[in-house]
Amino acid sequence: MFDKLKQLNELRKMKNVMQTETAEAEISGVKVKINGGFTVEEISISPEAMNSDLAKNIKYCFNDAVSKMQMIMAQKFSGMMS
């Protein structure tokens, strides 16, 4: 039982650490920054990015940032589990 409580406590600590992580992606003048909770912290759009591809670039940029955050989390978890 105490092992389960210890694991739960470790998971809580990992969650707090992951919340402080951030990942950024930039594509064609669109920049998206997300945190470890996959919440968008910042979106910036340069004047040059204001074109018909803006929505597509935002989507690609967000997906890239999420992918980067997943990689960060995978690296952190693999390090904590070994």
Side-chain angles (χ1 to χ4, degrees):
M1 180 171 157
F2 290 111
D3 288 337
K4 296 285 184 190
L5 290 174
K6 184 178 176 184
Q7 287 176 341
L8 181 61
N9 191 34
E10 287 180 27
L11 286 172
R12 285 185 181 140
K13 287 179 185 176
M14 283 192 293
K15 178 186 172 210
N16 291 338
V17 168
M18 295 311 293
Q19 290 288 6
T20 64
E21 291 292 330
T22 60
E24 289 184 16
E26 186 170 355
I27 297 173
S28 300
V30 175
K31 185 164 96 173
V32 174
K33 179 179 179 180
I34 63 170
N35 65 26
F38 294 93
T39 302
V40 175
E41 290 190 351
E42 181 183 334
I43 295 177
S44 61
I45 302 168
S46 71
E48 296 81 28
M50 300 299 250
N51 58 35
S52 61
D53 292 333
L54 180 59
K56 179 181 75 172
N57 289 338
I58 291 172
K59 180 180 81 169
Y60 289 146
C61 198
F62 177 78
N63 289 336
D64 189 34
V66 168
S67 180
K68 288 177 181 179
M69 183 54 67
Q70 289 170 335
M71 291 298 293
I72 290 169
M73 290 180 135
Q75 290 171 349
K76 291 263 185 200
F77 278 112
S78 70
M80 295 180 119
M81 296 299 178
S82 45

